[in-house]
Structures are given as structure tokens and as C-alpha cells.
């Protein structure tokens, strides 16, 4: 345990030294602001256990939490200054950076196929082609929306071939169940809840797997590397705890979300927690989506997507934290 802590301190000290010219001018951190989300089990574990409140107590830094309902919501908080960290899909973080926001991905909290296209159990629709001209709910700026664009392209359909209704994830499920839309690009845990309530998938694609990032802003990363390290350590601790305690994790997330534990078990079963260090595999998963984002107007046609992708990730702190956590106790 002593060796592990020493190694982590030495590794992080090297990073802090690299940032020192900027960091010495930063004001003391009085408050750290984070979002939490039902689609990020780690955030719920950390918040429930008060780990960050304990970790920041020594410096007198207050911890403030804000609930995000989707990647678009999370990035709004980050880019407005309402939060210092944002939980988003990898594509959403890339879009934000490409469109001029100084977003940096610092940790990958899970990997998953982020969505599926659902209809109600008694729906006459069996394939995505059956939804031509029909209404499909999705949250613009989030993975389910990007999943829908990919699904349409894979089936030789265009966004104009359907009527996309922009609703936040919980409202999308409600609209589907009330018959106000014909299909829905879902997001867990709402998707798992709808599925167990009788909705069915008409389109899935295991090849559409993507990372989900913990992000911060460039300036915060440069000025507050110790705070960033503290947050990343909490996420790595939560990730490992979830892997080691799947049933306890399901019960905890169920309590935090007020959703049935059966829903949470299904949600967690779809998540891969084995890729915490953001890197090339995460960037490679984004690349096939870029032409669709440009065609849909999500990205400017003259946007430098290569530069944005190449500069999206800064994994230095995560690398040290993960390597230190891997050491024998």
C-alpha cells in the first residue's frame, strides 16, 4: 500500500511539474463542480459514498454535484462553467471540441453499444425500413442520436427519410409508450426500463461500440492537475468496485435512480468497464461517424476534424492513476 501510494505521488508529481508555470498562478480551489448521471454508474457510486467530499476535505474544497440528463446537458454545464467535469459520449466530446470548445477527455468510464432503436411490443414495425416517414425520438447531441444516424446509413436510409423528434432521453421513452412517436433511439437505464416494460428492439448493431468520457476543460486541467487527479482516482476506484461487486453496484444504482434493480442489472450487463484509459481504440471508434456528422450539419463542413480528434484526449493523469492502482497491495 505504501509503495502504491509513493508511486502514484511520484508519477503525478512529474505531471504537476509539467503544468507548474500555469498552476502556480491559479487561485486556490474553493469549490469543485461535477455532474452525475444515471448513465454513469461510477458517478452514482462516488456521490453515494461521499468519496470526493472526503478526498477534498483536507484542502477545504467544497464539492457540488449537478444532475445531467444527457451528453448535451453535461457539455452545456461544462462549457458554461456550471461544472468542471462532464460525463459524455466520446462522440459528443469530439463534436464539442471540433466546434471550438476546449474540451479534454481525461478518462473512459465505460464502453458500450450506446443505443438501439425501439418500438412498442404491439407495433407493426419490424425493421428500420418500416419506420420510413415515421417519427423517431432521439436526443440531439447524444450517442443515441449519433447511433440513429449510423443505423440509417447502414440501412441505406437518410435522416430525411424519417421524422426525428428531439426529446431528452426520459421524455423519448414516455413519448414511445404513449404512442406519440413510432420509434425511439434509447439510452440506458431508460432503455432497459422500456425493454422490461415491453418495448422491443428493431435495430441493434454490435459494431457501434463507443467509449464514454469523463471530460474537463483545458484551462482547468492545466491549472488544477491535483484536483483532476483526485477526481480520476475516485472514478478508477468506483470502476474497480463495480467490477468486484456487481450485485451491490446494481442495488446502489437502483437506490440512486429509484429504478427497479432488474432494470439496473440489465443496464450494467451491457457495459464494458475494461477500457478506462482513453486512447487510440476510442478515437478509432469515433472516425466512422465523422462523415455522418458533417452531412447532418452537426459539424461545420470546413471543421478541422483531424486536429480535433488528435487533440481530444489527455490521458497522462489517468495513466498514472490506473498503473498505480494495478500494483499489488
Amino acid at each position: 500500500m505504501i509503495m502504491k501510494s509513493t508511486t502514484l505521488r511520484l508519477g503525478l508529481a512529474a505531471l504537476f511539474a509539467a503544468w507548474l508555470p500555469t498552476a502556480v498562478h491559479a487561485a486556490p480551489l474553493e469549490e469543485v463542480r461535477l455532474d452525475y448521471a444515471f448513465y454513469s454508474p461510477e458517478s452514482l457510486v462516488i456521490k453515494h459514498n461521499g468519496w470526493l467530499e472526503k478526498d477534498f476535505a483536507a484542502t477545504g474544497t467544497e464539492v457540488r454535484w449537478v444532475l445531467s440528463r444527457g451528453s448535451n446537458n453535461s457539455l452545456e454545464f461544462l462549457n458554461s462553467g456550471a461544472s468542471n467535469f462532464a460525463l459524455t459520449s466520446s462522440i459528443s466530446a469530439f463534436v464539442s471540441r471540433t466546434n471550438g470548445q476546449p474540451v479534454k477527455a481525461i478518462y473512459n468510464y465505460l464502453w458500450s453499444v450506446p443505443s438501439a432503436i425501439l418500438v412498442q411490443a404491439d407495433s407493426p414495425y419490424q425493421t428500420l425500413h418500416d419506420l420510413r416517414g415515421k417519427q423517431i425520438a432521439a436526443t440531439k447531441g447524444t450517442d443515441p442520436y449519433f447511433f440513429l444516424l449510423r443505423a440509417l446509413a447502414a440501412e441505406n436510409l437518410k435522416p430525411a427519410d424519417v421524422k426525428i423528434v428531439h426529446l431528452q432521453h426520459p421524455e423519448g421513452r414516455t413519448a414511445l409508450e404513449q404512442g406519440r412517436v413510432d420509434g425511439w433511439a434509447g439510452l440506458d437505464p431508460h432503455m432497459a426500463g422500456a425493454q422490461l416494460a415491453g418495448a422491443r428492439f428493431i435495430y441493434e448493431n454490435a459494431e457501434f461500440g463507443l467509449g464514454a468520457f469523463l471530460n474537463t476543460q483545458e484551462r482547468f486541467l492545466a491549472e488544477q492537475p491535483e484536483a483532476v487527479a483526485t477526481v480520476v482516482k475516485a472514478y478508477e476506484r468506483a470502476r474497480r468496485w463495480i467490477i468486484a461487486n456487481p450485485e451491490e453496484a446494481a442495488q446502489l444504482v437502483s437506490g440512486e435512480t429509484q429504478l427497479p434493480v432488474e432494470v439496473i442489472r440489465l443496464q450494467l450487463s451491457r457495459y464494458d468497464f475494461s477500457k478506462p484509459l482513453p486512447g487510440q481504440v476510442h478515437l478509432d471508434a469515433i472516425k466512422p461517424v465523422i462523415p455522418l456528422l458533417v452531412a447532418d450539419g452537426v459539424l461545420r463542413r470546413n471543421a478541422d476534424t483531424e486536429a480535433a480528434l488528435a487533440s481530444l484526449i489527455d490521458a497522462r493523469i489517468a495513466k498514472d492513476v490506473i498503473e498505480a492502482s494495478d500494483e499489488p497491495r
Side-chain angles (χ1 to χ4, degrees):
M1 189 68 172
I2 294 175
M3 180 181 295
K4 175 182 172 181
S5 299
T6 301
T7 302
L8 180 57
R9 285 199 302 271
L10 290 173
L12 293 178
L15 289 179
F16 302 154
W19 280 308
L20 190 58
T22 304
V24 293
H25 298 296
L29 189 60
E30 297 181 0
E31 180 181 74
V32 62
R33 301 180 294 277
L34 309 97
D35 68 337
Y36 66 104
F38 291 177
Y39 52 82
S40 171
E42 288 99 327
S43 70
L44 301 178
V45 170
I46 294 165
K47 181 175 179 292
H48 175 85
N49 289 306
W51 288 346
L52 284 176
E53 286 79 359
K54 297 171 186 173
D55 291 341
F56 280 110
T59 60
T61 302
E62 296 291 327
V63 177
R64 183 162 66 87
W65 295 92
V66 58
L67 176 65
S68 290
R69 299 197 299 166
S71 294
N72 59 332
N73 198 202
S74 184
L75 286 164
E76 287 169 5
F77 291 144
L78 181 68
N79 293 326
S80 69
S83 71
N84 306 120
F85 296 89
L87 299 160
T88 75
S89 74
S90 56
I91 296 178
S92 297
F94 164 73
V95 168
S96 184
R97 185 163 184 87
T98 305
N99 286 340
Q101 297 296 339
V103 173
K104 278 289 188 182
I106 56 174
Y107 186 81
N108 185 75
Y109 63 89
L110 61 84
W111 178 278
S112 71
V113 177
S115 186
I117 310 302
L118 291 82
V119 298
Q120 281 294 76
D122 59 356
S123 169
Y125 310 121
Q126 302 298 322
T127 71
L128 199 53
H129 281 271
D130 294 336
L131 290 176
R132 184 189 292 267
K134 305 300 181 182
Q135 293 186 320
I136 303 177
T139 308
K140 192 163 188 175
T142 69
D143 260 349
Y145 179 77
F146 304 136
F147 180 94
L148 176 58
L149 295 183
R150 296 184 78 179
L152 292 169
E155 293 297 306
N156 296 313
L157 294 168
K158 299 177 181 178
D161 290 329
V162 299
K163 299 174 183 177
I164 301 177
V165 180
H166 300 293
L167 295 172
Q168 282 287 353
H169 305 301
E171 286 77 16
R173 175 188 173 182
T174 300
L176 179 69
E177 293 176 342
Q178 293 179 346
R180 293 187 284 113
V181 296
D182 305 288
W184 171 49
L187 181 75
D188 280 326
H190 311 291
M191 185 166 68
Q195 189 180 1
L196 291 178
R200 56 184 173 82
F201 292 173
I202 63 165
Y203 187 87
E204 301 176 78
N205 196 320
E207 296 181 0
F208 290 179
L210 291 165
F213 288 160
L214 172 67
N215 309 277
T216 189
Q217 288 198 321
E218 286 181 352
R219 182 173 179 177
F220 191 85
L221 179 60
E223 294 182 349
Q224 301 291 346
E226 294 187 55
V228 172
T230 298
V231 171
V232 171
K233 285 161 65 178
Y235 269 84
E236 178 64 4
R237 179 182 179 186
R239 181 186 73 87
R240 290 172 183 261
W241 183 84
I242 291 169
I243 292 171
N245 304 279
E247 181 56 28
E248 289 181 58
Q251 295 288 345
L252 185 153
V253 174
S254 173
E256 290 295 302
T257 61
Q258 295 298 295
L259 291 170
V261 70
E262 293 82 7
V263 169
I264 303 305
R265 289 192 188 107
L266 180 56
Q267 173 192 6
L268 295 182
S269 73
R270 294 200 263 251
Y271 289 168
D272 178 356
F273 295 99
S274 69
K275 300 178 176 70
L277 185 65
Q280 193 59 48
V281 66
H282 303 87
L283 299 180
D284 288 343
I286 296 172
K287 290 178 181 178
V289 193
I290 295 176
L292 301 176
L293 300 176
V294 174
D296 193 58
V298 176
L299 298 176
R300 301 185 307 272
R301 291 192 176 273
N302 62 347
D304 191 345
T305 57
E306 290 186 10
L309 194 64
S311 62
L312 176 61
I313 290 173
D314 189 331
R316 289 177 291 175
I317 287 179
K319 183 175 184 293
D320 273 349
V321 168
I322 294 165
E323 288 179 353
S325 297
D326 284 338
E327 291 179 7
R329 294 178 180 270

